[in-house]
């Protein structure tokens, strides 16, 4: 992940975008803690974009997901804050698409 970050920053990126779920992991997962540490160390902005929730039905044509997606960023931000990741990584800045400023 850090190698891709270096590549993007080298091309002029000012921050990164991340979905509310990365594979099978939600943003507060211990497997993503190094990502948040690196964002904090570099003081980069992170745009959190809602995706289909992990627990959405696999064959959902979009009906259930569309109704639930509006709260997906808020739920991800809440879980991220309650996990302690934001306290551990105080200089990371996360913004969500569905609200003006989600975290910090």
């Amino acid at each position: 992940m850090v190698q891709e970050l270096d590549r993007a920053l080298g091309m002029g990126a000012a921050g990164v975008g991340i979905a509310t779920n990365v594979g099978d992991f939600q943003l507060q997962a211990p497997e993503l803690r190094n990502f948040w540490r690196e964002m904090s160390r570099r003081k980069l902005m992170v745009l959190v974009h809602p995706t289909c929730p992990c627990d959405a039905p696999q064959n959902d044509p979009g009906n259930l997901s569309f109704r639930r997606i509006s709260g997906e960023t808020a739920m991800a931000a809440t879980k991220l804050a309650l996990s302690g990741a934001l306290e551990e990584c105080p200089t990371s800045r996360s913004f969500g698409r569905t609200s003006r400023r989600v975290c910090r």
Side-chain angles (χ1 to χ4, degrees):
M1 214 179 241
V2 174
Q3 185 177 12
E4 180 62 18
L5 174 63
D6 288 337
R7 186 184 73 80
L9 293 174
M11 293 171 47
V16 299
I18 192 169
T20 51
N21 299 299
V22 179
D24 291 334
F25 302 114
Q26 295 180 349
L27 296 183
Q28 80 281 4
E31 293 82 358
L32 295 177
R33 193 58 63 99
N34 284 337
F35 167 80
W36 293 109
R37 287 183 190 118
E38 192 63 22
M39 297 302 102
S40 182
R41 185 182 75 77
R42 296 181 188 218
K43 299 180 181 171
L44 292 175
M45 180 178 62
V46 179
L47 172 69
V48 178
H49 193 285
T51 58
C52 183
C54 289
D55 60 348
Q58 288 189 355
N59 295 325
D60 177 30
N63 299 330
L64 177 63
S65 297
F66 180 74
R67 288 191 298 272
R68 293 177 61 197
I69 208 164
S70 61
E72 184 70 9
T73 304
M75 182 61 73
T78 300
K79 290 178 179 180
L80 192 59
L82 293 175
S83 73
L86 298 179
E87 289 178 12
E88 182 182 335
C89 308
T91 59
S92 65
R93 299 287 183 242
S94 303
F95 293 81
R97 181 175 175 260
T98 59
S99 64
R100 210 165 141 227
R101 186 169 182 179
V102 176
C103 301
R104 294 239 182 255

